């Protein structure tokens, strides 16, 4: 029997649900979800968003497992969830994902459903194997409603105690977080956080397995982005390009429309940290469409040379800053807010989307919450639980978006 059926988010017309996986002697093959005793769907995962509901209405949900022999488990404990009222929370059509719809790359920019360039601003999780407890209904409500974030980067480490140790568990957690971001009207940036070893080809087969399932399950959503190689390092751009050109067709077989972000060499520095520069990418681009290239910077470590590279590259290729910090490259040490602001000014002028590292209570200065915040479940809103970097980046995410619709 599935256990711990729970709600991970609600809107006026939808309820997002998750549950713990069942076990079976011949293998669980899927689950059947019921609403008020009537079957809603079957799914192979452990999360689902039920749509088409009525505002301010209570619904009772149960879930059953089935195995390879055709056996069906007992029903889980019933869960009662009420949808939000039409008059409460965020009005329909006003969330970042609702306004902009499915994104696409147009020229060197990221464009919304109206073909207009947009800039997304948001936060990255820390590694799910370490700080998953910082991603709760309360914290993500605050990220969407108090911080006014447009995007949540879901950082799935491959090594370092991450995906490779338990692919099923970590994939299910990513499914759940995609649903939680979706329920709050944010974009979900799925980050394949390969770091050590630095050659992404080491994890190519794992990446194919992971992204096939993610793309197949969520391809109908219009609020996704795929980040397929976090920080390639110690490897040539040609090796990174080869990896991307092998993985992208696998994703496209399931999801032909979601933008795909490709990490650049030199720890996502467009090659600068490897003694190279952006011309490697410009002169030998990935042979695929609807893609962007990623750039990472840490303001206290990465000075004018890196800023100039971002300036030059963003005029030639589509760039998304999928990670940055106001401190040193370790994510720790003193903040350099002045240099960080120079980057943000350039990114605002060019409409380069960005995500800050990181939405956790890690002891380093780059984690936005003070140590212990996640363990006590907040407080999540306001600034009392925030470190200086958290206060600074929250202020910059909260400034009004400019999402043209016509």
């Amino acid at each position: 029997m599935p256990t711990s059926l729970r709600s991970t988010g609600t809107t006026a017309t939808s309820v997002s649900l998750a549950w713990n996986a069942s076990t079976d002697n011949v293998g669980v093959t899927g689950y059947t979800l019921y609403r008020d005793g009537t079957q809603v769907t079957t799914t192979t995962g452990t999360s689902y968003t039920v749509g088409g509901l009525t505002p301010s209405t209570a619904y009772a949900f149960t879930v059953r497992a089935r195995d390879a022999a055709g056996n069906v488990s007992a029903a889980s404990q019933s869960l009662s969830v009420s949808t939000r009222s039409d008059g409460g929370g965020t009005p329909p059509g006003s969330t970042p994902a609702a306004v902009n719809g499915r994104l696409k790359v147009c020229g060197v920019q990221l464009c919304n459903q109206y073909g207009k360039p947009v800039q997304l601003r948001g936060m990255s999780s820390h590694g799910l194997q370490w700080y998953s407890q910082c991603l709760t209904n309360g914290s993500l409500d605050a990220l969407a409603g108090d911080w006014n974030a447009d995007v949540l980067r879901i950082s799935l480490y491959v090594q370092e105690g991450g995906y490779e140790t338990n692919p099923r568990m970590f994939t299910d957690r990513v499914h759940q977080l995609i649903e939680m971001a979706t329920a709050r009207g944010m974009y979900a940036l799925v980050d394949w956080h390969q770091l050590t070893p630095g050659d992404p080809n080491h994890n190519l087969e794992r990446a194919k397995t992971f992204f096939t399932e993610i793309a197949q399950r969520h391809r109908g959503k219009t609020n996704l982005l795929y980040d397929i190689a976090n920080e390639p390092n110690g490897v040539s751009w040609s090796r990174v390009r080869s990896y991307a050109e092998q993985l992208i067709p696998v994703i496209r077989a399931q999801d032909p429309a979601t933008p795909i972000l490709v990490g650049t060499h030199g720890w996502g520095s467009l090659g600068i940290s490897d003694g190279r520069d952006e011309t490697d990418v410009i002169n030998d681009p990935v042979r695929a469409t609807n893609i962007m290239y990623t750039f990472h910077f840490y303001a206290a470590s990465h000075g004018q040379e890196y800023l100039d590279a971002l300036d030059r590259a963003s005029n030639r290729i589509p760039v998304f800053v999928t990670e940055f910090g106001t401190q040193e490259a370790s994510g720790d040490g003193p903040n350099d807010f002045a240099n960080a602001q120079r980057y943000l000014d350039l990114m605002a002028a060019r409409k380069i989307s960005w995500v800050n590292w990181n939405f956790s209570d890690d002891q380093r200065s780059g984690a936005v919450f003070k140590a212990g915040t996640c363990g006590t479940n907040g407080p999540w809103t306001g600034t009392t639980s925030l470190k200086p970097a958290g206060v600074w980046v929250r202020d910059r995410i909260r400034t009004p978006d400019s999402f043209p619709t016509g």
Side-chain angles (χ1 to χ4, degrees), residues 126-130 155-160 162-163 193 195 357:
H126 204 316
L128 299 184
Q129 74 274 42
W130 298 311
S155 181
L156 176 63
Y157 277 72
V158 188
Q159 277 74 45
E160 301 181 67
Y163 174 86
H193 205 87
L195 184 61
W357 182 268

Side-chain angles (χ1 to χ4, degrees), residues 79-155:
L79 174 70
S80 179
V81 186
S82 295
T83 51
R84 298 182 183 181
S85 66
D86 273 329
T90 306
S94 66
T95 67
V99 171
N100 293 302
R102 191 186 295 277
L103 303 172
K104 60 184 177 182
V105 179
C106 53
V108 297
Q109 293 180 300
L110 186 64
C111 294
N112 64 11
Q113 62 182 327
Y114 303 100
K116 302 298 183 180
V118 295
Q119 181 194 43
L120 304 183
R121 297 168 299 170
M123 292 298 303
S124 175
S125 75
H126 204 316
L128 299 184
Q129 74 274 42
W130 298 311
Y131 291 94
S132 191
Q133 71 275 16
C134 296
L135 304 171
T136 68
N137 283 325
S139 71
L140 295 188
D141 282 346
L143 184 62
D146 181 53
W147 293 52
N148 299 333
D150 307 317
V151 57
L152 170 68
R153 182 187 189 223
I154 302 166
S155 181

Side-chain angles (χ1 to χ4, degrees), residues 164-329:
E164 68 174 4
T165 67
N166 193 333
R168 182 71 270 146
M169 181 187 74
F170 281 108
T171 303
D172 285 344
R173 181 59 167 146
V174 172
H175 285 314
Q176 181 188 34
L177 289 167
I178 291 171
E179 299 292 358
M180 292 172 77
T182 301
R184 290 159 176 81
M186 292 187 290
Y187 285 89
L189 198 171
V190 180
D191 165 35
W192 184 246
H193 205 87
Q194 57 77 218
L195 184 61
T196 305
D199 186 345
N201 291 281
H202 177 81
N203 289 307
L204 177 59
E205 294 307 314
R206 295 185 182 96
K208 288 180 177 179
T209 298
F210 172 75
F211 278 107
T212 294
E213 179 171 333
I214 295 295
Q216 186 178 54
R217 172 93 53 96
H218 301 285
R219 60 190 168 197
K221 291 182 171 65
T222 57
N223 65 314
L224 292 184
L225 296 159
Y226 303 131
D227 185 356
I228 63 173
N230 166 61
E231 287 187 349
N233 58 87
V235 64
S236 67
W237 167 246
S238 63
R239 288 284 292 167
V240 180
R241 181 178 61 79
S242 174
Y243 162 82
E245 290 179 353
Q246 293 177 78
L247 179 57
I248 289 172
V250 173
I251 297 174
R252 289 291 180 237
Q254 306 298 328
D255 180 351
T258 294
I260 295 174
L261 314 182
V262 181
T264 57
H265 51 320
W267 289 274
S269 69
L270 291 165
I272 302 300
S273 291
D274 276 348
R276 307 288 300 177
D277 62 28
E278 74 282 357
T279 59
D280 289 345
V281 179
I282 292 170
N283 294 335
D284 193 16
V286 173
R287 290 167 290 191
T289 58
N290 203 23
I291 65 167
M292 306 187 81
Y293 301 93
T294 71
F295 183 76
H296 293 181
F297 72 88
Y298 283 82
S301 294
H302 301 140
Q304 193 66 44
E305 182 183 12
Y306 290 79
L307 182 61
D308 288 345
L310 177 60
D311 187 6
R312 295 190 304 265
S314 59
N315 274 323
R316 303 286 301 278
I317 55 177
V319 177
F320 194 123
V321 174
T322 52
E323 185 178 315
F324 86 89
T326 58
Q327 50 292 132
E328 297 171 351

